[in-house]
Amino acid sequence: MSVREYREFHRRSIEDREGFWAEQARLVDWKRPWESVLDFSRPPFARWFPGGQTNLCHNAVDRHLEERGDQRALIYVSTETGEERTYTYRQLYAEVNAFAAVLRGLGVERGDRVVIYMPMMPEAIFAMLGCVRIGAIHSVVFGGFAADNLARRVDDARPKVLITADAGMRGGNVIRYKPLVDRALDVASRPPERVVICDRGIDREMRPVSGRDLDYADLRSEHEGEEVPVEWVDSTHPSYILYTSGTTGTPKGVQRDTGGHAVALTASMRHIFATNPGETMFTASDIGWVVGHSYIVYGPLMYGLTSIVYEGLPIRPDPGIWWKIVQDYGVSTMFTSPTAIRALRKQDPQYMRRYDTSSLRNLFLAGEPLDEPTSRWASASLGVTVRDNYWQTETGWPILSSMLPGLEDEPVVPGSAGFPCYGYDVCLMHEQTGEEVGPGERGILAIRAPLPPGCMSTVWGDDRRFVETYFSDFPDRNLYSTFDWGVRREDGRYFIMGRSDDVINVAGHRLGTREIEEAMSDHPEVAEAAAVGVADEYKGQVVYAFVVPKDSRRLETEAGREELDRSVREIVAQKVGPIARPAAVYFVEALPKTRSGKLLRRGIQALAESRDPGDLSTLEDPAALEAVRSAAQNPE
Ligand code: ATP
Ligand code: MG
């Protein structure tokens, strides 16, 4: 196998779109076969497998009962509560039926929405699958989001029922969920009539609201042993709503279909994640994000894998915990974010070597640019291939990947997210001229419509926003914009250069934030760094750098600070060019990130320009933003 063979595979997926996807669609069970593979009569909206009927829960659970009923479907490990529980496919079937029966008992029907606001616990997954079993549409809201955030999502989805827990835990601290739900439903204009609480017994002071709140254990026992028949839905029936991370502004409610989603995820388990049914996958993410939806829940279960559900931090009880899980459960495929690996890289390297991780074949990382030092460090310490892949909440599965059929033995090029995945007709567009750019030139990464199966069908409740947000950037209205910068090398490999809104324009030179940040992260004393463009009277913009030093003691003396400041500027000038040399370097203890671990560059930039930082609803740690504010306002 080779790059050439993959090219052929990809070419077929574009030139014989219908033939290609009809073949992939055989990986899933259909109640009724589709009438056509694709209906693209109303561009840019694509309807995949119209006329067909299927069900996600059937594909994730029921269809495996015969062959793998006693195989573990889920392994739940919580380093927060100390629990470890496993569920075979047969047990999962029972749990999902129980949840579906409870929902049905509350009057939830096909097409109704259910908001799930829960910590990482198996019941959250039972709830998701229980919804799709009866044709209800789930909207999972990342647990621990503030009440306002939850209220906004409730108002957008207008759910019949909201499912929550008494509390979650993070780093040993209790996060009480129910008071947040109470507050959210107070301010929501269309609150659901019923709230179902999975009481974990963590928050003993929890008080149910009478007439509204119901205890899941009670409801469950009322429906003990009930089996709920699968509700067969049209392929185009919405399966779920999920919001983007809110890194660049107000989150968008992504709506996903059923049939295309099932086909795309199942196919990706084989072709991109290179897994086999029966193996164990560990996706260290949260069900509140798309990575969790696709690769903790739907992908692994539909393809008959065992999926690890981990509640806890990567460094507690110690930074070896993930590798212990890999060893104990024979994990073959792992998926997480570069941010998590960077957090581990700051720890003592002995933890990486303490466990036998020889079962692990591939470590997939996505969500943010993967810097070369982190990539090399992870592959050297674990002895696995680290595989960058690039995608968005909108697409639901990778757009670019360094693992694809034929590329198994191709050397991975650190810094590159790989090649366009089959099904994606990717191009790079010049921002101003709207023309395609050639190899080596930077352009906005766009996808020619129709988007492949599995990608968003529209913005929930707002077709116009879908078209205006994603399809209005170029004169050719058939191009979906990712809003990310990319470069393609002669050999066909792509490099993501950062977000197009983040490009820094210094005296007419357009600099990608990623190049500058990567140069800084090559500095031996830098743990993490952010580059932002700040308005400048003469140059248009100048680069400001915000740097987290590996060892803050370095900053205690004036000389130490000056030396670090100087060498950071120097390394950027050297690696990117003198034009990129930061005009200012600020040292901070942490960088502001979204809850999904993405750098909130627009927030940093706004503060550096003394502007209002805008929508911060998905910010992880307000203290980090405050530190940036005070650093930027009190330059030394
Ligand atoms: P919003 O759209 O609300 O501003 P967001 O774009 O951060 O938030 P997500 O859908 O979670 O929401 O993230 C997708 C984005 O993450 C991509 O558009 C890209 O900017 C970045 N990204 C994802 N994977 C990679 C990767 N492998 N390399 C570089 N960037 C990546
Ligand atoms: Mg986005």
Side-chain angles (χ1 to χ4, degrees):
M1 293 289 263
S2 64
V3 174
R4 195 164 350 114
E5 267 165 274
Y6 176 65
R7 286 234 169 83
E8 182 50 32
F9 190 82
H10 182 265
R11 193 190 57 74
R12 205 187 141 224
S13 76
I14 304 298
E15 288 174 11
D16 176 21
R17 194 171 265 130
E18 312 217 345
F20 179 88
W21 286 109
E23 230 166 70
Q24 304 305 321
R26 286 200 211 109
L27 292 168
V28 313
D29 272 6
W30 295 85
K31 177 67 178 174
R32 195 172 74 199
W34 58 88
E35 279 151 23
S36 62
V37 172
L38 169 67
D39 167 13
F40 194 48
S41 56
R42 195 168 68 99
F45 298 90
R47 298 170 71 241
W48 285 98
F49 310 107
Q53 283 198 330
T54 184
N55 181 287
L56 288 173
C57 183
H58 167 83
N59 276 287
V61 185
D62 302 38
R63 75 181 291 209
H64 300 307
L65 290 179
E66 204 170 310
E67 208 180 316
R68 44 185 92 251
D70 296 321
Q71 178 195 310
R72 292 186 287 201
L74 300 177
I75 297 172
Y76 167 60
V77 179
S78 174
T79 50
E80 297 290 353
T81 64
E83 280 171 285
E84 277 196 37
R85 283 189 258 157
T86 64
Y87 296 88
T88 64
Y89 272 96
R90 205 177 311 288
Q91 290 166 325
L92 178 61
Y93 175 82
E95 294 295 342
V96 169
N97 271 278
F99 227 114
V102 165
L103 290 171
R104 225 182 32 175
L106 295 174
V108 176
E109 287 170 16
R110 174 200 291 248
D112 287 341
R113 275 82 58 208
V114 173
V115 165
I116 299 174
Y117 178 68
M118 292 174 87
M120 282 291 286
M121 58 194 280
E123 285 73 8
I125 296 174
F126 307 154
M128 290 167 78
L129 293 168
C131 283
V132 294
R133 183 169 193 86
I134 59 175
I137 302 166
H138 60 69
S139 172
V140 179
V141 177
F142 176 66
F145 259 160
D148 283 353
N149 253 301
L150 177 58
R152 226 174 299 151
R153 286 156 174 71
V154 164
D155 281 339
D156 197 27
R158 287 185 273 122
K160 202 161 217 170
V161 172
L162 183 144
I163 304 165
T164 190
D166 57 331
M169 283 172 69
R170 199 177 142 84
N173 301 313
V174 170
I175 299 162
R176 300 167 71 213
Y177 276 45
K178 242 282 286 180
L180 295 172
V181 169
D182 293 343
R183 225 174 312 141
L185 298 194
D186 271 349
V187 298
S189 51
R190 312 278 289 266
E193 278 164 32
R194 297 286 183 209
V195 172
V196 174
I197 303 165
C198 295
D199 190 352
R200 314 171 82 187
I202 294 175
D203 179 10
R204 308 240 173 247
E205 265 134 62
M206 185 190 57
R207 293 282 165 271
V209 172
S210 79
R212 185 196 73 185
D213 293 359
L214 301 163
D215 179 55
Y216 178 64
D218 291 346
L219 295 170
R220 190 181 188 286
S221 60
E222 281 170 33
H223 295 275
E224 194 65 59
E226 256 174 59
E227 285 187 50
V228 178
V230 157
E231 183 83 16
W232 300 105
V233 296
D234 289 342
S235 176
T236 53
H237 180 75
S239 59
Y240 74 70
I241 308 166
L242 180 66
Y243 295 83
T244 59
S245 292
T247 312
T248 53
T250 310
K252 300 162 278 272
V254 165
Q255 175 183 322
R256 192 117 35 232
D257 73 352
T258 297
H261 179 210
V263 171
L265 287 189
T266 312
S268 74
M269 292 302 294
R270 171 185 278 189
H271 300 309
I272 298 174
F273 293 92
T275 63
N276 300 298
E279 290 179 346
T280 302
M281 178 154 179
F282 178 13
T283 297
S285 176
D286 190 285
I287 47 149
W289 309 124
V290 72
V291 171
H293 275 59
S294 294
Y295 297 110
I296 295 175
V297 185
Y298 290 111
L301 294 178
M302 286 195 291
Y303 205 44
L305 272 79
T306 301
S307 181
I308 307 256
V309 183
Y310 177 70
E311 178 181 37
L313 301 178
I315 49 167
R316 239 178 62 104
D318 63 54
I321 178 64
W322 282 1
W323 319 117
K324 178 175 180 339
I325 292 174
V326 167
Q327 168 188 282
D328 291 355
Y329 296 107
V331 172
S332 64
T333 307
M334 185 151 174
F335 189 174
T336 189
S337 64
T339 298
I341 299 296
R342 279 194 285 268
L344 290 173
R345 192 175 156 215
K346 284 188 224 162
Q347 312 290 326
D348 187 341
Q350 59 136 331
Y351 289 108
M352 301 293 279
R353 293 190 288 264
R354 185 176 287 178
Y355 300 100
D356 175 6
T357 54
S358 57
S359 59
L360 200 59
R361 286 197 305 269
N362 287 299
L363 170 64
F364 289 88
L365 298 177
E368 269 225 285
L370 172 60
D371 55 290
E372 283 198 42
T374 302
S375 170
R376 288 188 200 283
W377 177 83
S379 91
S381 1
L382 286 169
V384 298
T385 314
V386 173
R387 300 199 178 262
D388 195 356
N389 58 113
Y390 158 84
W391 45 298
Q392 307 182 302
T393 309
E394 289 87 341
T395 65
W397 60 286
I399 304 169
L400 302 175
S401 171
S402 53
M403 177 64 135
L404 286 159
L407 304 182
E408 296 83 355
D409 302 322
E410 282 297 313
V412 165
V413 175
S416 165
F419 295 87
C421 295
Y422 52 89
Y424 289 96
D425 193 357
V426 169
C427 48
L428 292 169
M429 306 299 295
H430 192 284
E431 195 181 25
Q432 267 103 42
T433 65
E435 308 270 332
E436 246 186 286
V437 302
E441 289 177 72
R442 193 160 46 198
I444 293 181
L445 198 138
I447 304 163
R448 228 176 285 285
L451 295 176
C455 291
M456 75 192 291
S457 8
T458 186
V459 170
W460 169 253
D462 200 346
D463 282 357
R464 234 179 81 188
R465 189 170 177 209
F466 175 64
V467 178
E468 280 172 7
T469 305
Y470 299 104
F471 292 90
S472 308
D473 263 24
F474 306 106
D476 176 355
R477 291 298 161 107
N478 258 339
L479 282 177
Y480 167 93
S481 174
T482 62
F483 306 107
D484 289 312
W485 282 102
V487 174
R488 180 179 59 245
R489 268 189 359 192
E490 286 285 355
D491 67 4
R493 283 188 171 79
Y494 281 72
F495 293 75
I496 298 293
M497 310 306 293
R499 294 165 187 267
S500 56
D501 329 33
D502 288 337
V503 162
I504 306 176
N505 193 333
V506 182
H509 298 266
R510 303 176 63 70
L511 306 165
T513 49
R514 172 164 189 186
E515 303 159 82
I516 304 172
E517 285 164 9
E518 194 142 322
M520 293 191 280
S521 71
D522 271 345
H523 189 297
E525 289 178 59
V526 170
E528 233 178 337
V532 298
V534 172
D536 179 85
E537 210 181 328
Y538 302 104
K539 296 183 177 168
Q541 278 186 314
V542 290
V543 176
Y544 276 25
F546 290 82
V547 171
V548 182
K550 277 200 183 132
D551 184 354
S552 56
R553 278 172 306 189
R554 189 76 156 78
L555 304 176
E556 280 165 11
T557 67
E558 193 66 20
R561 175 183 282 269
E562 269 170 23
E563 172 52 24
L564 191 54
D565 181 309
R566 191 199 59 76
S567 56
V568 165
R569 291 181 207 234
E570 194 48 40
I571 201 166
V572 175
Q574 228 179 57
K575 298 206 169 204
V576 188
I579 191 86
R581 185 192 298 269
V585 177
Y586 298 108
F587 296 106
V588 289
E589 267 175 41
L591 295 170
K593 298 205 171 156
T594 64
R595 293 282 185 144
S596 52
K598 292 164 195 284
L599 194 57
L600 207 63
R601 238 181 250 99
R602 70 177 161 87
I604 304 178
Q605 183 192 33
L607 293 180
E609 293 183 337
S610 308
R611 282 185 289 112
D612 171 18
D615 185 345
L616 296 176
S617 54
T618 64
L619 182 68
E620 159 85 24
D621 174 13
L625 200 69
E626 273 318 304
V628 164
R629 189 199 299 272
S630 81
Q633 286 170 359
N634 307 298
E636 274 137 85

